[in-house]
Amino acid sequence: MRFCDFFLLFLLPLLASCAERKVYIVYFGEHSGQKALHEIEDYHHSYLLSVKASEEEARDSLLYSYKHSINGFAAVLSPHEVTKLSEMDEVVSVFPSQRKKHTLHTTRSWEFVGLEKELGREQLKKQKKTRNLLEKARYGDQIIVGMVDNGVWPESKSFSDEGMGPIPKSWKGICQTGVAFNSSHCNRKLIGARYYLKGYESDNGPLNTTTDYRSPRDKDGHGTHTASTVAGRRVHNVSALGYAPGTASGGAPLARLAIYKVCWPIPGQTKVKGNTCYEEDMLAAIDDAIADGVHVLSISIGTSQPFTYAKDGIAIGALHATKNNIVVACSAGNSGPAPSTLSNPAPWIITVGASSIDRAFVTPLVLGNGMKLMGQSVTPYKLKKKMYPLVFAADAVVPGVPKNNTAANCNFGSLDPKKVKGKIVLCLRGGMTLRIEKGIEVKRAGGVGFILGNTPENGFDLPADPHLLPATAVSSEDVTKIRNYIKSTKKPMATIIPGRTVLHAKPAPFMASFISRGPNTIDPNILKPDITGPGLNILAAWSEGSSPTRSELDPRVVKYNIFSGTSMSCPHVAAAVALLKAIHPNWSSAAIRSALMTTAGLVNNIGKPITDSSGNPTNPFQYGSGHFRPTKAADPGLVYDTTYTDYLLYLCNIGVKSLDSSFKCPKVSPSSNNLNYPSLQISKLKRKVTVTRTATNVGSARSIYFSSVKSPVGFSVRVEPSILYFNHVGQKKSFDITVEARNPKASKKNDTEYAFGWYTWNDGIHNVRSPMAVSLA
């Protein structure tokens, strides 16, 4: 054997071992509280040292030591090292870090949900007698909301501390300095900021500082948008490129903000493609947030495919937050309309879907035959008042582009300038090119205008994008009309009329087509999402280090921007949570979730059940309990409370026996659908099942509640007792819900077919409603 052959045989196993190394999270459960912080880090280091060749290698491999509430560490490990650590007695679990992308997941939304009303003279007189929710909650003052996102633009007027009182004494956090961010950027509104890069840089190498700031500063816009939605100050006379003019405000405008930047640019991709967030970085942020003293966590991050709770960093971190009575709200995701796509399904998390508000940005398209189609856009650019040639993108591609389904997607370099110059181009959504990029391609090829056409999957969801040329977005139904018109004439013509902001649009709300939805794949006996809130075309503050489109080809800078996603609805619910925390400081996180869920609305502003954008019926797998109503949630009458121990017993039942190492599972634990949740899902019912719920009185001291049921089709539901008598606040009453299949042998269309219903308690003042979802075995 030649020396080089021998050398290669020796080297290859080492190279393979290096290639297999990646970041894992080693989780021990809960801290005992008996060790100092440096002792905890030494303790974690000792475990690493037991599997590493040297102390230097152990130190170099450690990314984070979680020392506050979460007990564990993140380190670069080989499969062999993972196996050895997994076999150690005190180690609860070892799981690989998962990269999580943003689930891109307001002047009008708070008014729409009833928090801020347009008041007439008589209403103003009445309001003087009874304070509204904002006043009762002192606008969220003294409540600290932690934003786990991609930073903040601190100079925004939305984060001014003018007139605010001192920082809450409970705050223990810091203002971490970095590039273009120093201690002066924190104030009595923006009371703390941190950033987390170790996981990201372990996988990608040093941050490219041309794409983001090595600091809590936001160079994207997403984090600034979500933070200002929760707790932005009232700022008058704002708009997005002239659209949605008015007063911008967060839902809890005097709440304090703590920023935890965990998301960073995807290497090799433009900012418009989104961000990536590493689990070990997020866990470190949540661990710090718990120690810092936040009351609420808003996390608009998730994956298109959820992980089991034992391997889900957000679920683990949120469980620790819940133990500390911190309410955690998370976005459900933007991977719809397919079923079983939602993320963040843990029952100790408020999982939020996305719906519309009653505002539209009407940008009409007029065809040469006189037909007028109502599109939407927030582009500030205008065409001259004349007709222009109209072309379908698939008919204007360069030679060599296949004439298949993607030909109309306006992918980069696909359009032929000879066929496009001076024309309005119809492009279809989908493919590898984002909506903004399609317009950029039309502009590159010399087009004067751009029509963004929905596919049937998008329905009537019309994104209000700030395109770089005159543009409008139209429904899939209107796409058919446009294409038929193009085929009907040799010289198709069209023009785009400048857009305008329209309020009181109907129907609203409707469910966005992009939302991820149930059924829950991790535990089909927990109904998710929990609730829906405004997430379509939401105006909020924006980073001046970015552009309104986040494209490198867009030179514009804006202070406020319109954005869509469950990322936008999640902070709406987090703001409502902050207000409820202020009014009811002794309520548990479960009680607050229950109050929001059982008071949610099911009808739109024309008095009909909430539909999707195409007018099709929707169900609790899309909206959970319904559209959130903060003013109703402040006085829910009854709540379904759940303790930290209840969650641990729930985990025992589903086979996750060790997220808290100090807790020992009993031999028999309650079934998962007996968790005292404000909704009910029963998967694969064979014949009959009875579950128990316990209601806590938080309304009138003496009250009587009567039950009513709307049974799912094909099932009978009985509630016993049917009347609950309460004689003091805080009193608990249990009741049984028996669900029985009317015909257990009935044929089903598929294994995931569910029927939906409701059970409700009413005392003449409060309507405490819970959704049900049931499927047959």
Side-chain angles (χ1 to χ4, degrees):
M1 180 183 291
R2 294 178 301 172
F3 172 76
C4 59
D5 292 333
F6 175 81
F7 182 73
L8 282 171
L9 286 172
F10 173 77
L11 188 61
L12 283 172
L14 292 177
L15 291 172
S17 177
C18 290
E20 291 171 344
R21 292 179 184 273
K22 59 182 180 180
V23 177
Y24 286 83
I25 294 166
V26 182
Y27 179 60
F28 295 90
E30 187 78 15
H31 285 293
S32 65
Q34 298 174 350
K35 291 185 174 72
L37 295 183
H38 72 275
E39 292 176 316
I40 294 170
E41 188 160 349
D42 289 342
Y43 173 74
H44 293 160
H45 175 68
S46 69
Y47 276 85
L48 268 177
L49 192 58
S50 70
V51 298
K52 296 290 185 180
S54 67
E55 183 164 333
E56 182 181 13
E57 186 184 350
R59 292 284 181 198
D60 289 346
S61 67
L62 181 67
L63 300 184
Y64 291 107
S65 177
Y66 306 125
K67 301 186 284 284
H68 300 299
S69 177
I70 301 165
N71 188 0
F73 61 84
V76 179
L77 301 170
S78 69
H80 177 65
E81 292 164 348
V82 167
T83 300
K84 290 179 68 176
L85 284 167
S86 300
E87 293 169 350
M88 296 181 182
D89 288 342
E90 293 190 24
V91 175
V92 170
S93 62
V94 183
F95 56 95
S97 165
Q98 307 291 343
R99 288 196 304 174
K100 302 204 173 192
K101 290 184 180 179
H102 267 307
T103 52
L104 298 175
H105 248 260
T106 98
T107 56
R108 183 66 185 173
S109 52
W110 295 115
E111 187 177 311
F112 177 63
V113 300
L115 195 59
E116 294 179 344
K117 289 288 189 184
E118 293 176 315
L119 301 176
R121 185 175 298 175
E122 292 303 314
Q123 290 172 303
L124 282 169
K125 287 180 181 178
K126 292 179 181 178
Q127 193 185 60
K128 288 177 181 178
K129 296 178 182 178
T130 58
R131 294 188 302 162
N132 64 21
L133 174 61
L134 280 170
E135 291 173 333
K136 288 178 182 176
R138 302 181 305 280
Y139 298 87
D141 190 21
Q142 300 300 304
I143 301 300
I144 303 166
V145 183
M147 305 299 302
V148 181
D149 212 291
N150 68 349
V152 69
W153 190 261
E155 290 84 2
S156 171
K157 289 183 179 180
S158 289
F159 308 124
S160 166
D161 68 348
E162 183 179 354
M164 295 190 71
I167 293 171
K169 292 181 180 178
S170 61
W171 175 246
K172 301 178 181 67
I174 64 171
C175 187
Q176 186 179 6
T177 60
V179 175
F181 198 98
N182 57 51
S183 58
S184 69
H185 288 117
C186 291
N187 56 27
R188 290 171 297 176
K189 158 61 73 174
L190 201 63
I191 63 174
R194 300 175 185 259
Y195 67 99
Y196 304 83
L197 259 173
K198 292 179 181 178
Y200 176 87
E201 291 192 326
S202 172
D203 195 34
N204 302 298
L207 173 71
N208 179 353
T209 53
T210 65
T211 62
D212 208 340
Y213 301 102
R214 182 180 285 274
S215 76
R217 183 175 287 277
D218 173 15
K219 199 171 184 176
D220 174 89
H222 187 275
T224 301
H225 198 282
T226 55
S228 64
T229 299
V230 173
R233 299 296 301 276
R234 286 179 171 170
V235 184
H236 302 292
N237 301 317
V238 305
S239 67
L241 299 169
Y243 290 87
T247 299
S249 176
L254 291 185
R256 316 306 173 106
L257 287 166
I259 305 301
Y260 301 89
K261 182 177 178 179
V262 299
C263 299
W264 305 89
I266 302 171
Q269 301 282 346
T270 60
K271 292 288 284 184
V272 73
K273 297 290 186 181
N275 292 264
T276 185
C277 325
Y278 283 74
E279 213 150 27
E280 61 270 34
D281 294 334
M282 290 188 288
L283 262 181
I286 295 172
D287 193 41
D288 281 340
I290 294 169
D292 288 347
V294 306
H295 302 106
V296 184
L297 277 172
S298 180
I299 307 176
S300 292
I301 302 170
T303 59
S304 58
Q305 180 180 2
F307 300 93
T308 59
Y309 303 139
K311 296 182 179 181
D312 184 338
I314 290 181
I316 291 171
L319 182 63
H320 284 268
T322 299
K323 184 177 183 180
N324 289 272
N325 206 25
I326 298 166
V327 187
V328 183
C330 293
S331 51
N334 304 328
S335 299
S340 301
T341 48
L342 68 82
S343 58
N344 300 314
W348 48 88
I349 289 172
I350 302 177
T351 311
V352 188
S355 39
S356 72
I357 60 174
D358 64 341
R359 179 179 61 200
F361 305 101
V362 178
T363 309
L365 172 72
V366 180
L367 303 179
N369 61 3
M371 185 181 293
K372 191 175 185 179
L373 306 174
M374 294 300 177
Q376 281 205 78
S377 174
V378 290
T379 178
Y381 306 106
K382 302 176 183 179
L383 291 173
K384 294 179 181 179
K385 293 182 179 180
K386 67 173 189 176
M387 302 298 285
Y388 294 83
L390 172 65
V391 65
F392 182 44
D395 300 326
V397 293
V398 295
V401 172
K403 292 291 183 75
N404 55 23
N405 292 337
T406 65
N409 289 151
C410 294
N411 296 321
F412 282 127
S414 67
L415 295 178
D416 188 341
K418 295 177 182 177
K419 300 174 182 177
V420 168
K421 187 175 181 180
K423 297 179 181 179
I424 294 173
V425 183
L426 169 63
C427 304
L428 297 185
R429 289 176 69 173
M432 299 302 292
T433 310
L434 300 178
R435 300 190 307 263
I436 290 295
E437 295 173 330
K438 296 176 190 294
I440 291 172
E441 169 61 11
V442 170
K443 188 176 181 182
R444 179 204 66 80
V448 297
F450 163 52
I451 305 166
L452 178 67
N454 278 2
T455 61
E457 291 76 19
N458 309 125
F460 283 77
D461 275 15
L462 300 181
D465 294 320
H467 294 287
L468 288 161
L469 75 171
T472 190
V474 299
S475 68
S476 58
E477 187 177 287
D478 285 345
V479 167
T480 301
K481 294 175 183 176
I482 297 167
R483 292 191 62 186
N484 287 340
Y485 164 68
I486 291 174
K487 293 174 185 176
S488 72
T489 179
K490 293 182 178 179
K491 293 184 177 181
M493 304 291 284
T495 192
I496 299 170
I497 297 175
R500 59 190 177 92
T501 304
V502 175
L503 301 182
H504 309 293
K506 296 178 180 180
F510 59 77
M511 298 306 301
S513 65
F514 56 73
I515 56 167
S516 300
R517 55 201 73 190
N520 183 343
T521 58
I522 301 303
D523 181 4
N525 287 317
I526 297 292
L527 202 164
K528 289 283 182 170
D530 294 310
I531 203 163
T532 186
L536 193 62
N537 298 332
I538 302 302
L539 177 74
W542 198 249
S543 168
E544 293 181 50
S546 184
S547 69
T549 62
R550 300 189 303 167
S551 170
E552 296 171 352
L553 300 175
D554 186 353
R556 299 171 296 179
V557 173
V558 296
K559 297 179 186 294
Y560 291 83
N561 198 22
I562 290 168
F563 221 46
S564 295
T566 54
S567 284
M568 283 62 255
S569 54
C570 173
H572 276 86
V573 170
V577 169
L579 297 177
L580 295 180
K581 270 274 189 184
I583 295 173
H584 303 290
N586 297 322
W587 279 11
S588 69
S589 60
I592 288 175
R593 178 190 59 225
S594 174
L596 286 164
M597 290 175 64
T598 60
T599 59
L602 292 175
V603 297
N604 56 31
N605 57 2
I606 59 173
K608 299 292 181 66
I610 294 172
T611 66
D612 65 16
S613 60
S614 301
N616 299 314
T618 53
N619 61 54
F621 287 160
Q622 292 160 274
Y623 53 67
S625 295
H627 197 268
F628 86 135
R629 297 189 291 183
T631 53
K632 293 280 188 182
D635 180 24
L638 304 176
V639 295
Y640 297 99
D641 209 351
T642 312
T643 66
Y644 176 71
T645 300
D646 291 333
Y647 291 128
L648 296 182
L649 288 169
Y650 159 81
L651 289 167
C652 293
N653 179 262
I654 64 171
V656 182
K657 300 185 182 298
S658 52
L659 284 189
D660 187 330
S661 55
S662 66
F663 183 82
K664 302 301 179 185
C665 288
K667 290 183 179 179
V668 179
S669 53
S671 63
S672 63
N673 51 26
N674 270 301
L675 181 69
N676 199 38
Y677 212 68
S679 60
L680 174 62
Q681 183 166 324
I682 299 170
S683 173
K684 298 183 179 180
L685 178 66
K686 291 182 179 179
R687 185 175 293 275
K688 182 170 72 172
V689 68
T690 298
V691 300
T692 301
R693 292 289 186 268
T694 301
T696 303
N697 180 25
V698 294
S700 302
R702 294 184 178 277
S703 52
I704 303 173
Y705 283 84
F706 298 87
S707 70
S708 61
V709 172
K710 181 183 177 184
S711 297
V713 175
F715 301 88
S716 66
V717 178
R718 187 173 68 254
V719 173
E720 295 178 312
S722 60
I723 304 174
L724 298 180
Y725 299 90
F726 295 94
N727 53 37
H728 63 84
V729 174
Q731 187 175 10
K732 297 178 184 292
K733 294 281 187 177
S734 295
F735 59 93
D736 291 335
I737 308 166
T738 300
V739 182
E740 185 172 7
R742 295 186 188 278
N743 184 4
K745 297 180 180 180
S747 61
K748 300 184 302 174
K749 294 177 183 177
N750 55 63
D751 291 335
T752 60
E753 183 181 355
Y754 280 81
F756 302 96
W758 305 87
Y759 61 91
T760 304
W761 292 101
N762 187 285
D763 67 345
I765 300 172
H766 307 96
N767 207 49
V768 188
R769 183 177 53 232
S770 296
M772 290 185 285
V774 188
S775 71
L776 281 172

